[in-house]
Amino acid sequence: MNLKGTLPTLILQALEHEPDHGYRIAQRIKERSKGVLDFKEGTLYPALHKLENDGMVESYEAVENGRPRRYYRITKKGCGMLAKDREEWRDLSRAVTLILRET
Amino acid sequence: MTLESWLERATRLLAPASVEKVRAEIGEHYQSALEAELARGKSREDAERATVESLGNPAAAGRGYRKVLLTAQEARLLEFWKTPNPIRITWPTAGLLAGAIAAGFLGVAIVVVALAGAAGLPMPWKIPSFRSVEGLAFLASVVAVWCIGAAVFALQGWRRSKPVSEQAAIGWVFHALPVFGAAVAMASYVHFGFEIVTRFWASSALVALVTVTASTWPINTPKRSRAFRLFKWATLVAASLLLWGLVPWLLVTQLWGTYMNHERERQMLRKKLPFSEWPPQLCR
């Protein structure tokens, strides 16, 4: 399914409860959507950098299984944006559902 | 496709520091994904192929990266800005530089105006004959602005080489420039009316005000950078209106050219760099 425009919101959602690294963020999005939202993983990192430049997430280095990894964590600004995006998505989804029921 | 060829294509045109960042994060990602594929029982060759495929089109990733990480060209520009007096400006260099810039702008302007004249588009002023006094005054004005531009380039280079306490004292020259431009514009108005020579000087005075004089004002600080940029663009629009009148196609061409040439790259850099890392050039 085409993820265009929704990837930043999905990333923020994946980071809502705990910080994580890029690979696990990608897997989490795929797993939670039961494989429906399948995206090319190379596009994840530009989206993460954009969120970082906009102050929605911040990154830090940590070691996992003896390997250094870059972890991302959501900021206060990112939480605000996620809440706003969630609300907009609910409105949009409700409106589309209403229209599709009519036909 | 191998990981190496994927990385080469995805990092094309990026700055060395950005390339290093991409290589590190994609390398980490690749390693985790490869381990997962191997754990599913795939052969090493199949696992490597599947892992690279899961990264997607490297050209698309590269386009994404170039929007958020520094490109090689942007990194060079930042380096140039950070180097004090980077081209060691002397009078001849300054003259050539100002001349090349002026010739470029003037060349484009002449071609655009000539094409527009041939196409019968509306013009804001009558083009004077170069045998008339007004025509000669216009040519002399272009040469004068060129010389003043060269002198300002050289003076700015020399000023930056002085201690900060002395730099302020030299600032009066920059304040005199727009006043001089406005005075010549008024004199021209008395002689020729609101025609090309007057418009040219009035417009040049405003451009000098925003590019040279305003940089010494207290509004030119990082905290007030948004206000400064607003002032800069309002003044540039006013300068364009003075030069081209209310002729929409000329105004749009001029302002679009100025934006693409001067502002676009700065705007990209403002998005990519945190505010604390902005050099002074990004604040204005």
Side-chain angles (χ1 to χ4, degrees), chain B residues 25-103:
Chain B
E25 68 192 10
I26 294 293
E28 280 174 24
H29 185 99
Y30 178 86
Q31 206 54 44
S32 302
L34 185 68
E35 282 165 12
E37 293 291 349
L38 288 170
R40 282 185 202 119
K42 282 189 181 168
S43 70
R44 184 148 195 105
E45 199 181 315
D46 286 349
E48 282 175 354
R49 193 171 44 242
T51 307
V52 175
E53 268 172 21
S54 73
L55 291 173
N57 181 357
R63 278 195 296 277
Y65 273 125
R66 287 196 290 279
K67 282 183 196 161
V68 290
L69 295 179
L70 284 183
T71 63
Q73 192 184 328
E74 289 163 347
R76 276 197 298 273
L77 182 63
L78 281 175
E79 197 51 47
F80 180 79
W81 282 342
K82 279 177 193 162
T83 316
N85 198 9
I87 42 180
R88 296 182 178 280
I89 291 176
T90 58
W91 262 96
T93 329
L96 281 172
L97 198 60
I101 295 169

Side-chain angles (χ1 to χ4, degrees), chain A residues 21-24 26-27 30 39-54 61 64-65 67-72, chain B residues 6 21-22 25-26 28-29 31-37 40 51 53-57 60-61 64-65 67-69 271-274:
Chain A
H21 55 74
Y23 176 73
R24 213 177 289 143
Q27 298 316 304
K30 287 179 183 180
F39 60 95
K40 294 299 177 192
E41 290 163 23
T43 59
L44 176 81
Y45 293 94
L48 271 169
H49 289 301
K50 167 106 179 56
L51 288 169
E52 197 176 7
N53 289 349
D54 294 343
E61 285 265 345
E64 188 194 66
N65 298 333
R67 280 208 306 255
R69 308 216 59 147
R70 182 151 290 274
Y71 275 74
Y72 296 87
Chain B
W6 192 96
K21 204 172 189 176
V22 175
E25 68 192 10
I26 294 293
E28 280 174 24
H29 185 99
Q31 206 54 44
S32 302
L34 185 68
E35 282 165 12
E37 293 291 349
R40 282 185 202 119
T51 307
E53 268 172 21
S54 73
L55 291 173
N57 181 357
Y65 273 125
K67 282 183 196 161
V68 290
L69 295 179
K271 282 182 190 164
K272 291 178 183 182
L273 292 177

Side-chain angles (χ1 to χ4, degrees), chain A residues 6-28:
Chain A
T6 58
L7 186 56
T9 310
L10 298 175
I11 293 173
L12 291 177
Q13 174 66 48
L15 292 172
E16 193 188 19
H17 299 297
E18 57 176 333
D20 224 330
H21 55 74
Y23 176 73
R24 213 177 289 143
I25 294 170
Q27 298 316 304
R28 205 178 272 185

Side-chain angles (χ1 to χ4, degrees), chain B residues 94 98 144-154:
Chain B
V145 169
W146 176 353
C147 293
I148 292 170
V152 168
F153 265 116

